[in-house]
Amino acid sequence: MSKAFYITTAIDYVNGQPHLGHAYEKIIADVIARARRSLGQDVFFLTGLDEHGQKVQQTALAQNKNPKAYCDELAADWMAFARKLGLTNNDFVRTTEGRHQSVVQTCLERARAAGHFYKRTYTGFYSLKEETFLTAKDRLPDGTFDPSWGEVIELKEEDYFFRLGEHQQWLMDYISQNPHFIMPEYRRNEVLGLLKSSVLEDLCISRPVSRLSWGIPIPFDPEYVTYVWFDALVNYISIPAAHGDRTVRAAIGANGAAPGSGAALWPADVHVIGKDILKFHAVYWPIMLKALGLPLPKQILVHGWWQKDGQRMSKTTGNVVDPIAVIDEWGVDAFRYYVLRELDIGPDGNWTDDGFRARYSAELAKGLGNFINRSLTMLKRYRNGVVPAKSDELSDQTTKTVEEVRALLENSQLQAALVAIQALITRADQYIEKSAPFKLAKDPAQAKRLDEVLYNLAETCRVVAILYHPFLPDTTGRIYEQLGLAGKPDRFSEAAWGKMEPGHQIGNPAPLFPLKEEK
Ligand code: ME8
């Protein structure tokens, strides 16, 4: 079996309801997954929940709930959220599942047997909020710690540590030699800078049960549970193992599907993550994989963070964007479109309600929606909805855009792909103005010319539906319906010019993005 294109997202902490940042990341991954499928690849798209650790335990206890019962309740909301966003994930991992926990324990056993761990007493500072040991370097000049660390306590305890020293050099070389391993480039430079300027401290991979019980038991010491990050990162291989992935199973000897029946997933093609968890993915995760004898993922794609109205989103101040409310009011495609069109993958972004409305109105309602509606309404009115003889006046421009969008999608340049499709619509709108079908329709001597124009417009509508499909799955399905075409516009190869057959009867045009009253 040939290897599938394997794409993952970060798995979210279930210590609250999903917000804009979570939604954005999952939509990025979904669009890449859909685009790859459209380009003919087998795809496995994984997302899910990170259910262990201090943050989740604290939130559950604050609500007087047992952590597992609390997670079960919230997991239902998060899974419904994934459907609301239109995600086409092939599996959904919860780190409390047996299939995940058993692989984490196997990995711990393996790494210990290979001599990667040792036990020692730690004395120093610890951030409860981030579940991280802090060093003198983390102190501010006045000796205190940045408030972002939350409550910092002094700690003296025995723990298991992962030796990282021997890994620093090869990792630095690997990142230098593989320019696409961490994208965008400035994030790669950030990791290289960190590796060049400091010596990696050994990573503590255990927490004593006496302090934190909500975790996966360390198989070789019942007094400890697994550090939440060692647990969470392993989801990227535990789910392939559960699907019988041969590479993972051969490395860790995990049980799973019968040999030969397994999916071929690992190594992941893309891990989509936010900028705050870069070190875990670009430093600890590659080292864990190397220690387990597994190949590294091909790419870590790092997105920026959203603010709202220029301020950090915060539940306490109420400065949040509720994706569900936006989707209920404007539709899922409008939401998917805005977040990807507004913010390229990399920099930070700023949500404003006005900005959202402006793009909806100019680019979806008056841009895409109006172009499709004008084109199909004219075909319906002037030719009873029957596609005329083929013509290729817009063929060159359209084909150029198709190739441009293909290359951009293959590089996960989603914002640029949207810009390219939008430019095609602008040119097609100009073509309508220039060729003036509404005037041609009044002159019977121009019937042939009108046929040409109508064919070019209908065919452009069809191609536009295919190009937009990964981004706007509902809308493009409706464009296909209005074009009277069966199936979904989900195959890129169909974007070749001239596939619309003369004599084909289209369906009924209807507005795709109704204009809303100004509030
Ligand atoms: O970090 N804008 O979970 P998490 C954009 N469980 N992205 C944002 C964001 C914002 N305002 N806020 C959060 C965790 N994110 C771990 C991950 S992976 C093995 C374990 C992104 O719920 C954040 O950058 O805190 C991360 O990629 C994802 O949401 C989950 O964050």
Side-chain angles (χ1 to χ4, degrees):
M1 190 191 274
S2 67
K3 188 186 143 359
F5 183 91
Y6 177 32
I7 179 163
T8 70
T9 67
I11 51 173
D12 304 324
Y13 286 125
V14 278
N15 59 343
Q17 291 293 323
H19 60 56
L20 170 63
H22 298 127
Y24 172 60
E25 176 175 286
K26 277 52 185 178
I27 291 171
I28 292 177
D30 185 64
V31 171
I32 298 174
R34 285 179 186 262
R36 293 287 174 160
R37 291 192 194 102
S38 179
L39 290 164
Q41 280 180 276
D42 254 352
V43 171
F44 192 92
F45 166 23
L46 178 65
T47 187
L49 293 175
D50 189 355
E51 302 194 351
H52 290 124
Q54 191 113 8
K55 288 188 200 196
V56 177
Q57 176 171 294
Q58 265 173 358
T59 317
L61 294 183
Q63 298 182 17
N64 278 326
K65 285 181 183 148
N66 149 305
K68 179 66 170 71
Y70 166 82
C71 288
D72 287 346
E73 249 172 58
L74 260 87
D77 293 345
W78 284 78
M79 284 168 156
F81 185 63
R83 288 192 294 277
K84 187 108 193 162
L85 297 175
L87 304 189
T88 52
N89 51 304
N90 298 83
D91 202 335
F92 189 96
V93 56
R94 297 182 54 194
T95 54
T96 46
E97 291 173 306
R99 60 179 182 158
H100 170 72
Q101 305 208 33
S102 63
V103 175
V104 171
Q105 291 187 323
T106 311
C107 290
L108 287 164
E109 293 275 23
R110 291 260 143 183
R112 183 173 94 122
H116 293 286
F117 301 155
Y118 66 97
K119 199 175 182 186
R120 75 166 154 91
T121 303
Y122 171 85
T123 317
F125 294 97
Y126 184 76
S127 151
L128 285 174
K129 177 164 161 258
E130 295 302 326
E131 296 178 50
T132 295
F133 295 87
L134 302 174
T135 64
K137 274 182 291 174
D138 299 306
R139 284 191 135 159
L140 299 172
D142 66 0
T144 62
F145 290 94
D146 190 271
S148 63
W149 291 115
E151 187 184 350
V152 175
I153 56 168
E154 273 193 88
L155 203 68
K156 183 171 185 210
E157 71 183 26
E158 270 207 297
D159 272 304
Y160 289 92
F161 285 82
F162 189 155
R163 280 177 235 282
L164 300 189
E166 66 190 79
H167 295 284
Q168 187 148 355
Q169 189 59 48
W170 74 256
L171 183 58
M172 219 150 42
D173 295 344
Y174 185 86
I175 296 172
S176 304
Q177 286 154 17
N178 292 275
H180 299 291
F181 179 54
I182 303 168
M183 292 289 275
E185 200 184 341
Y186 53 89
R187 294 291 175 207
R188 170 173 172 258
N189 292 338
E190 189 181 312
V191 178
L192 277 176
L194 181 121
L195 288 171
K196 280 181 188 152
S197 66
S198 56
V199 175
L200 282 179
E201 307 251 351
D202 291 344
L203 178 69
C204 178
I205 53 99
S206 65
R207 296 292 183 265
V209 174
S210 55
R211 188 157 66 76
L212 174 72
S213 57
W214 185 232
I216 300 179
I218 296 257
F220 43 84
D221 193 335
E223 299 294 309
Y224 292 87
V225 296
T226 312
Y227 171 44
V228 67
W229 272 99
F230 195 101
D231 163 354
L233 288 162
V234 168
N235 93 87
Y236 302 136
I237 54 173
S238 65
I239 298 312
H243 286 264
D245 182 272
R246 267 173 277 167
T247 308
V248 175
R249 291 183 52 207
I252 62 169
N255 294 323
S261 70
L265 303 179
W266 194 259
D269 292 84
V270 189
H271 289 317
V272 182
I273 58 153
K275 62 176 186 176
D276 59 319
I277 54 176
L278 177 57
K279 187 175 175 191
F280 294 99
H281 284 81
V283 177
Y284 299 142
W285 180 227
I287 293 176
M288 284 165 66
L289 288 165
K290 175 96 168 173
L292 293 165
L294 276 163
L296 304 196
K298 293 188 191 148
Q299 186 172 83
I300 300 164
L301 185 60
V302 190
H303 63 76
W305 267 38
W306 282 93
Q307 295 192 325
K308 178 167 189 246
D309 300 326
Q311 313 234 313
R312 194 186 161 93
M313 287 189 288
S314 147
K315 272 186 279 182
T316 341
T317 59
N319 189 45
V320 287
V321 177
D322 175 4
I324 296 179
V326 177
I327 292 170
D328 285 343
E329 185 175 354
W330 299 84
V332 64
D333 282 0
F335 181 75
R336 290 169 64 105
Y337 179 84
Y338 176 75
V339 290
L340 295 183
R341 177 64 186 81
E342 177 69 19
L343 183 56
D344 198 9
I345 301 173
D348 289 339
N350 185 32
W351 176 291
T352 63
D353 291 345
D354 286 348
F356 179 88
R357 282 198 200 100
R359 283 206 191 276
Y360 178 93
S361 162
E363 295 166 22
L364 293 178
K366 293 180 191 148
L368 170 63
N370 200 30
F371 166 67
I372 303 282
N373 200 250
R374 281 217 280 179
S375 304
L376 300 192
T377 304
M378 288 192 289
L379 181 54
K380 195 89 186 167
R381 187 174 304 149
Y382 306 142
R383 292 293 179 265
N384 269 327
V386 178
V387 174
K390 289 189 186 180
S391 162
D392 56 9
E393 242 176 316
L394 292 181
S395 161
D396 285 356
Q397 277 181 3
T398 307
T399 308
K400 215 172 120 241
T401 305
V402 168
E403 286 323 308
E404 193 185 343
V405 170
R406 175 199 295 275
L408 291 167
L409 291 177
E410 281 171 348
N411 274 319
S412 303
Q413 288 175 274
L414 306 185
Q415 186 192 49
L418 286 175
V419 171
I421 309 168
Q422 202 178 348
L424 177 63
I425 293 177
T426 306
R427 284 196 296 271
D429 273 333
Q430 287 161 355
Y431 173 76
I432 299 182
E433 297 314 316
K434 225 169 91 199
S435 54
F438 23 86
K439 285 191 194 143
L440 299 174
K442 292 185 187 138
D443 179 0
Q446 297 284 358
K448 188 157 174 296
R449 177 66 190 139
L450 180 59
D451 277 350
E452 284 169 4
V453 174
L454 293 175
Y455 184 88
N456 279 287
L457 293 177
E459 181 59 349
T460 304
C461 290
R462 191 186 67 84
V463 175
V464 161
I466 296 168
L467 297 182
Y468 266 134
H469 182 70
F471 301 90
L472 310 172
D474 277 6
T475 308
T476 53
R478 282 161 60 210
I479 299 176
Y480 247 39
E481 247 172 69
Q482 295 183 19
L483 280 165
L485 294 169
K488 291 195 163 77
D490 58 2
R491 267 183 301 158
F492 211 85
S493 56
E494 290 293 302
W497 184 265
K499 290 209 162 203
M500 178 84 98
E501 288 305 322
H504 171 78
Q505 172 73 56
I506 67 161
N508 291 319
L512 294 167
F513 296 99
L515 266 175
K516 306 231 180 191
E517 308 243 320
E518 292 295 322
K519 283 193 182 166

